[in-house]
Amino acid sequence: MADLSVNLAGIKSPNPFWLASGPPSNSARQANRAFEAGWGGIVWKTISNDAIVNTSSRYASLNLGTLRMAGLNNIELTTDRSPETNFREIAEIKRRWPDRAMVVSLMVDTRECWHEFVKRAIDAGADGIECNFGCPHGMCERGMGAAVGQQPAVTEKIVTWVMEVATIPVIVKLTPNITDITYAARAARQGGANAISLINTIKSITQVNLDCLVPEPNVGGLSTHGGYCGPAVKPIALHMVQCCAADPEVGLPISGIGGIANWRDAAEFIALGATSVQVCTAIMHYGFRIVEDMIDGLSGYLDAKGFKNLAGLRGKAVPMVQKWESLDLNYKRIARINYDKCIGCNLCYIACEDGAHQSIDLVPPNGQGLGPGRVPGKPIPKIREEDCVGCNLCAIVCPVESCVTMVSIPTGKPKLTWKEYQEKLARGEIKPIPAHP
Amino acid sequence: MPISPKLGPEAAAANMADIAPRYTPQEAIIEANRCLFCFDAPCIQACPMGIDIPSFIKKILTGNLTGSARTILTANILGGSCARVCPTEVLCEGACVVLDREKDPVKIGRLQRYVVDYAQENRLQVLKAPSGKSGKRIAVIGGGPSGLGCAAELAQLGHQVVVFEKKPNAGGLNTYGIAYYKMKPEVSLAEVELVKSLGVEFRCGVEVGKDVSIKQIEKDFDAIFLGLGLGKGGRLNLPGEDVPEVVEALDFIEQIHTHPLHDVAVGDRVAVIGGGNTAIDAVTQALRLGAHEAVIVYRRTREEMPAYEFEQQLARTYGVKFLFNVVPTEILSNSKGHVTGLKLARTSSANGKVQILPGTEFIEPFDMVIKAIGEQKQVELFKKLFPALEIHPRGVVRRNPDTGQTNLPNVFSGGDCANGGREVVNAVAEGKKAARGIHAFLSGGKTSGPVQPSRYGVQGAPVGSGFDKPIRVLELEKEYARQRK
Ligand SMILES: Cc1cc2nc3c(=O)[nH]c(=O)nc-3n(C[C@H](O)[C@H](O)[C@H](O)COP(=O)(O)O)c2cc1C
Ligand code: SF4
């Protein structure tokens, strides 16, 4: 069994799975249940010094087909329970679960306040602090949350306030509502933070109710821009995590967040540089029990891959993401159809014909073997290999596993990146690649 | 003993409840989501009406049920009844390729029913006859599925149509002859109303040739569509056949459709003679109405039984018993003239020929015998109405299958009287084709259906699909097996 334990800038936990700051991490009752289920750590629901009042009607969802909550949006603020209650419960939970990571998320305004709340968190026995500079709704109107995270200078400033009194590791939670997240991450580093976590939610409107023309969540006839999370944001989160992991000027350990729902998602975040991962929406959807498969699946995967611990996996995919200009222009792949599997839905055909590069024909089946669903005599899709640009679309739309596959074709040509191409062109060593007809 | 009703109203209604009840909105969404939205989908080709199935299913998902109903009903005016009575296992659903052609297809029939029910219940006006009229008048003789298919299409092409129907209600077998647990007569009557709403006039209770002469009709109308269906059930020609407890399957089913369920008499031990789908409908309904035992008596082997496999299965799960390779040789009655049993003999049916095996006779007690041995052709009637009409040796009206036109230029035909007896959906398709034939005959105009989004741009055939050239899944399976070898 691979070792799943992690150490994020000194915050230790038996596994990388933490509750993200949010509704699931709002109380001792929930924290107990989560730890009983096996979660490795918790980032407590953000505590602030403002008296918090929440609206009734707070979440809205993007449903895709029968899949509910492909994306979730919320307009909730920080915890609406008092700081006293929260710190008391935090202390209780830490006493009861000493081996689990207890991180306290804070969002306050003045320097004095930050000092006071950081100390209270330390006194409660927290293992770390997470500065919430990411909440994109409500609190940012009051100069907190994303209002901080969107201005690197302010981020840096506030982090220095925190570091003045922090005796435990400090994580800065970043907002994705920014053009280039590495600027915010570097600011956190400049301010002295020990780690970063990302992403917080993305500004969004998930849906407009077409009967009353009010977007959801509807609060008495009005709505507001909410924060988006859940499976739909994972690609954005992965991109941002990789950017931070690859940036030497950031150079901080990362707690990955955004759309993680199972061990595969977690493994992807870890491969792109995350040390721990945090989960919110998936718990809101299915409850704490999902961690069982997360632990089971991840350790099984590590064993199968021969990794003794998470360090073996961490960051392995980071260097595999490079600038476009470093990609090999001479690399060629094309689509191939496995006719034994083809069911004759023609989705590859119409996708390529109307949506891609017109490289599939419908031709008479002429002796071609038949797949499990195909109608004899009905035309079959056939890829014109010389025209296929290898865009992957047909393989993506094909509903049958490994029916359309993309295969690499040896071109016999040496690797040629855009950069080299431009240089060789300038030197007159190479003729321009002809434009696509 | 004379036979009598066996069940009270509640028990009868419960036993005869829909075998495939309407989906709830959520069930419909879940099922619709399974559709792959194939391009030029096999299901469209397997539907004799060529309904753009992926399109109507997609519209369920977007909440556009009006549009969905329009997609269905423009292709098939009887989309609601076909959704219930079509053997979808060998049509659209049999061709569905989700996962595999044999495995768990999208339940197209039930989705179609869901949509048409919705349109019906919410009185959505999805079809419209054009306001400009051609001035041409067409008489449709026979208000069954083919007649309705023809009338609806003609009305939508701007012609004036009158339907002559012998029975008190139009709808034909859909109103009187479908297993009650598959479809209630109200569904069919609602479809008749839909056709009426297109401006078609119905003259029910009018028998052509008796109440109105063909001469008169030819004078009043520019063209005639013959959709007479089939005639009375066939005779066994056995001793003892003419007693009250020996009934024809379609008469038995008609009773179920025209009387309260708890007033329909059934025997305690019922024999159904025949091996087709009507035999299955009769035998399961007899059981559902309280018969203690119901037995199919079929003169050939199980493999030779023409009823669809899934229909046989349905009967089996319902507890129907089967006697294969057995024929009745005499119907036995007591002194008061009530059926007491059948004298039966075993047969051999090697290479298709049925031969009674001598010395194998035995007696089985029954108190009711239902004959389901097919309906008679109506050659006499055709001859009487149109002495010059060309009749196929098979006893059906000879017509051009693409246009429905007979040897008499103004007379068109389709449905059971022309095809010898096929599915409801085939009858509607033939009626619709004949309507287009009539339209071409009267106005020289050619018609084609609306462009189907799921087939848009298919080379050489932007419209059409299964309506022009249906594939049969049964035949397809054979071809498939052959090609695999
Ligand atoms: C209802 C709700 C409330 C949240 N509240 C907080 C919060 O108080 N502090 C915080 O840092 N993040 C908060 N988040 C953001 C989550 O911690 C997390 O960053 C985000 O949801 C992305 O992860 P996920 O896709 O696993 O949900 C909240 C998210 C949701 C859905
Ligand atoms: S990979 Fe792209 S270009 Fe090639 S056949 Fe598939 S869809 Fe067409």
Side-chain angles (χ1 to χ4, degrees):
Chain A
M1 273 276 279
D3 174 14
L4 290 189
S5 67
V6 296
N7 179 342
L8 181 93
I11 306 171
K12 296 186 184 120
S13 68
N15 65 53
F17 303 110
W18 298 1
L19 310 191
S21 179
S25 64
N26 198 30
S27 66
R29 175 197 172 115
Q30 289 164 296
N32 268 321
R33 282 176 56 76
F35 288 156
E36 267 162 22
W39 289 85
I42 182 172
V43 182
W44 203 268
K45 171 76 185 170
T46 306
I47 303 169
S48 73
N49 60 332
D50 243 22
I52 294 300
V53 183
N54 269 307
T55 59
S56 176
S57 175
R58 306 177 186 181
Y59 310 147
S61 158
L62 174 77
N63 300 337
L64 297 177
T66 47
L67 172 65
R68 302 205 153 243
M69 272 167 74
L72 178 75
N73 135 318
N74 86 90
I75 57 168
E76 238 168 38
L77 305 182
T78 54
T79 179
D80 44 18
R81 307 171 82 221
S82 74
E84 291 66 40
T85 309
N86 279 300
F87 285 121
R88 193 188 65 241
E89 292 190 357
I90 288 166
E92 247 171 68
I93 292 293
K94 184 64 208 176
R95 261 197 310 278
R96 181 141 181 229
W97 301 92
D99 68 322
R100 312 297 168 95
M102 169 59 76
V103 178
V104 175
S105 171
L106 297 176
M107 184 203 291
V108 294
D109 41 19
T110 62
R111 181 171 176 223
E112 290 65 42
C113 267
W114 277 106
H115 283 178
E116 179 200 332
F117 276 75
V118 169
K119 285 181 193 153
R120 287 173 81 174
I122 296 168
D123 292 345
D127 301 307
I129 304 283
E130 187 178 82
C131 303
N132 178 348
F133 295 163
C135 183
H137 45 81
M139 302 310 283
C140 52
E141 295 168 16
R142 304 175 204 174
M144 290 183 268
V148 175
Q150 285 167 337
Q151 300 179 68
V154 181
T155 298
E156 183 181 336
K157 175 108 209 154
I158 296 182
V159 174
T160 57
W161 294 348
V162 172
M163 298 319 290
E164 283 162 8
V165 293
T167 55
I168 52 177
V170 172
I171 309 167
V172 171
K173 183 164 177 178
L174 303 176
T175 176
N177 298 297
I178 184 169
T179 313
D180 182 344
I181 198 153
T182 56
Y183 283 75
R186 288 176 200 167
R189 164 90 185 259
Q190 291 298 317
N194 307 100
I196 50 174
S197 58
L198 64 157
I199 59 173
N200 209 311
T201 55
I202 304 171
K203 274 216 167 209
S204 62
I205 296 175
T206 32
Q207 51 170 295
V208 177
N209 180 320
L210 289 177
D211 291 325
C212 61
L213 298 177
V214 179
E216 294 289 338
N218 178 334
V219 184
L222 286 178
S223 191
T224 187
H225 300 267
Y228 195 49
C229 51
V233 310
K234 189 183 95 173
I236 299 168
L238 285 175
H239 146 71
M240 292 184 169
V241 165
Q242 193 277 342
C243 285
C244 291
D247 186 347
E249 289 181 53
V250 175
L252 289 176
I254 297 170
S255 186
I257 321 169
I260 297 166
N262 55 46
W263 67 267
R264 292 184 162 274
D265 300 329
E268 292 177 61
F269 274 81
I270 294 166
L272 285 175
T275 298
S276 72
V277 293
Q278 301 182 24
V279 180
C280 179
T281 306
I283 299 172
M284 292 176 73
H285 200 162
Y286 298 114
F288 296 125
R289 61 197 164 121
I290 57 172
V291 78
E292 193 266 338
D293 178 56
M294 290 179 138
I295 294 170
D296 195 35
L298 185 61
S299 69
Y301 169 74
L302 292 183
D303 290 346
K305 282 277 173 194
F307 294 125
K308 297 226 157 12
N309 50 38
L310 286 171
L313 172 63
R314 187 178 317 125
K316 280 283 183 304
V318 174
M320 307 309 175
V321 184
Q322 293 292 336
K323 283 184 168 175
W324 194 94
E325 63 176 24
S326 354
L327 305 179
D328 181 5
L329 297 178
N330 279 338
Y331 171 75
K332 176 138 176 90
R333 58 159 47 175
I334 55 168
R336 287 253 164 90
I337 296 174
N338 179 347
Y339 289 103
D340 290 339
K341 295 197 168 181
C342 175
I343 57 172
C345 69
N346 290 345
L347 287 174
C348 58
Y349 163 77
I350 202 64
C352 187
E353 180 65 21
D354 288 358
H357 305 93
Q358 299 80 44
S359 310
I360 304 184
D361 298 311
L362 286 178
V363 301
N366 292 343
Q368 184 60 257
L370 290 168
R374 274 229 317 277
V375 174
K378 197 163 184 279
I380 60 168
K382 184 159 187 288
I383 290 158
R384 238 179 298 115
E385 296 194 348
E386 62 279 19
D387 293 330
C388 171
V389 302
C391 72
N392 299 348
L393 183 64
C394 52
I396 292 170
V397 300
C398 178
V400 180
E401 201 51 46
S402 12
C403 173
V404 183
T405 46
M406 303 303 303
V407 291
S408 305
I409 302 285
T411 56
K413 295 183 198 155
K415 182 173 174 182
L416 178 70
T417 67
W418 174 258
K419 233 163 109 191
E420 293 158 355
Y421 174 46
Q422 292 306 301
E423 288 159 9
K424 288 193 171 166
L425 266 185
R427 290 198 298 268
E429 293 169 18
I430 196 172
K431 275 216 225 57
I433 300 172
H436 200 76
Chain B
M1 278 279 287
I3 56 173
S4 58
K6 295 275 184 290
L7 300 178
E10 273 166 34
N15 273 359
M16 289 292 233
D18 268 359
I19 48 168
R22 184 194 310 178
Y23 277 143
T24 63
Q26 172 129 38
E27 284 170 332
I29 296 274
I30 290 174
E31 192 57 26
N33 260 301
R34 297 183 60 228
C35 174
L36 296 174
F37 202 46
C38 295
F39 177 76
D40 192 16
C43 55
I44 306 179
Q45 253 180 305
C47 171
M49 302 303 299
I51 297 176
D52 187 343
I53 292 160
S55 259
F56 97 70
I57 293 180
K58 196 79 175 172
K59 289 178 183 186
I60 297 176
L61 291 176
T62 66
N64 179 11
L65 290 178
T66 311
S68 183
R70 189 175 296 117
T71 298
I72 296 166
L73 295 173
T74 46
N76 181 354
I77 189 75
L78 300 194
S81 52
C82 286
R84 292 165 169 87
V85 309
C86 271
T88 51
E89 289 83 348
V90 297
L91 300 174
C92 52
E93 291 176 18
C96 175
V97 297
V98 70
L99 302 177
D100 188 328
R101 200 142 45 70
E102 282 108 54
K103 284 188 209 142
D104 200 16
V106 176
K107 305 292 175 299
I108 298 167
R110 293 185 73 177
L111 286 171
Q112 183 171 314
R113 169 186 171 171
Y114 171 78
V115 173
V116 180
D117 277 4
Y118 177 89
Q120 197 75 259
E121 239 153 60
N122 293 279
R123 301 178 182 287
L124 301 180
Q125 179 86 45
V126 295
L127 299 181
K128 245 189 10 227
S131 48
K133 296 292 177 208
S134 68
K136 304 285 186 199
R137 289 168 56 84
I138 297 101
V140 168
I141 306 179
S146 68
L148 293 176
C150 183
E153 187 70 6
L154 285 170
Q156 291 177 87
L157 290 167
H159 304 297
Q160 227 175 329
V161 189
V162 177
V163 176
F164 294 89
E165 169 60 49
K166 190 166 77 173
K167 297 222 167 174
N169 282 306
L173 281 186
N174 272 357
T175 303
Y176 295 104
I178 303 290
Y180 197 84
Y181 51 81
K182 285 185 195 157
M183 180 166 88
K184 314 248 170 303
E186 296 83 69
V187 177
S188 171
L189 295 177
E191 286 179 328
V192 174
E193 287 306 311
L194 175 66
V195 177
K196 252 185 220 168
S197 76
L198 297 171
V200 173
E201 185 190 332
F202 282 81
R203 297 192 194 154
C204 291
V206 175
E207 188 174 343
V208 172
K210 203 170 110 199
D211 304 320
V212 50
S213 70
I214 285 293
K215 221 166 161 192
Q216 190 61 42
I217 287 183
E218 289 203 304
K219 209 171 106 207
D220 293 348
F221 295 92
D222 301 291
I224 298 172
F225 174 77
L226 274 185
L228 294 169
L230 295 171
K232 287 249 142 229
R235 281 185 65 81
L236 292 164
N237 293 322
L238 288 182
E241 187 170 351
D242 298 305
V243 291
E245 287 99 16
V246 176
V247 298
E248 280 167 20
L250 284 178
D251 289 343
F252 173 61
I253 297 171
E254 180 166 338
Q255 274 199 31
I256 295 172
H257 285 64
T258 49
H259 293 76
L261 292 176
H262 57 277
D263 283 350
V264 179
V266 287
D268 204 41
R269 237 185 145 239
V270 180
V272 176
I273 297 167
N277 294 311
T278 307
I280 302 274
D281 282 355
V283 79
T284 46
Q285 289 183 102
L287 269 186
R288 280 164 196 257
L289 285 176
H292 204 236
E293 206 172 353
V295 182
I296 290 256
V297 177
Y298 181 52
R299 60 197 177 125
R300 297 173 193 265
T301 60
R302 173 175 170 172
E303 290 66 41
E304 289 168 288
M305 207 162 134
Y308 293 121
E309 181 53 39
F310 50 87
E311 290 283 356
Q312 299 183 38
Q313 202 50 48
L314 181 77
R316 239 170 252 125
T317 49
Y318 215 74
V320 169
K321 302 217 162 60
F322 290 81
L323 285 173
F324 293 110
N325 278 115
V326 165
V327 286
T329 56
E330 185 181 344
I331 295 167
L332 308 170
S333 304
N334 62 17
S335 57
K336 293 196 184 114
H338 294 302
V339 169
T340 57
L342 284 178
K343 194 181 271 180
L344 301 163
R346 303 208 180 274
T347 68
S348 85
S349 56
N351 49 47
K353 269 228 176 93
V354 180
Q355 262 174 336
I356 295 187
L357 302 175
T360 59
E361 292 205 335
F362 62 105
I363 288 174
E364 280 279 328
F366 292 108
D367 58 352
M368 182 183 195
V369 174
I370 300 176
K371 297 183 283 182
I373 53 171
E375 293 85 52
Q376 289 164 351
K377 307 291 190 299
Q378 313 221 69
V379 180
E380 248 90 284
L381 181 62
F382 304 145
K383 283 259 144 68
K384 189 181 122 195
L385 296 179
F386 298 97
L389 186 68
E390 203 179 313
I391 309 293
H392 193 277
R394 274 172 47 230
V396 297
V397 178
R398 196 193 279 277
R399 88 305 189 201
N400 175 334
D402 293 327
T403 62
Q405 196 164 32
T406 67
N407 65 315
L408 311 176
N410 64 331
V411 179
F412 295 72
S413 183
D416 283 358
C417 73
N419 66 30
R422 291 184 70 188
E423 303 300 337
V424 169
V425 68
N426 300 109
V428 194
E430 289 175 22
K432 183 169 172 171
K433 279 183 187 167
R436 293 187 179 184
I438 292 169
H439 180 68
F441 169 70
L442 292 179
S443 61
K446 259 212 164 311
T447 41
S448 54
V451 173
Q452 298 183 315
S454 303
R455 305 191 76 241
Y456 173 73
V458 173
Q459 269 159 16
V463 289
S465 69
F467 183 61
D468 301 322
K469 200 165 166 282
I471 53 169
R472 292 280 296 175
V473 174
L474 290 177
E475 290 145 26
L476 207 119
E477 296 308 335
K478 279 184 219 139
E479 171 68 7
Y480 192 57
R482 194 183 65 76
Q483 290 202 18
R484 274 217 164 147
K485 265 191 216 135

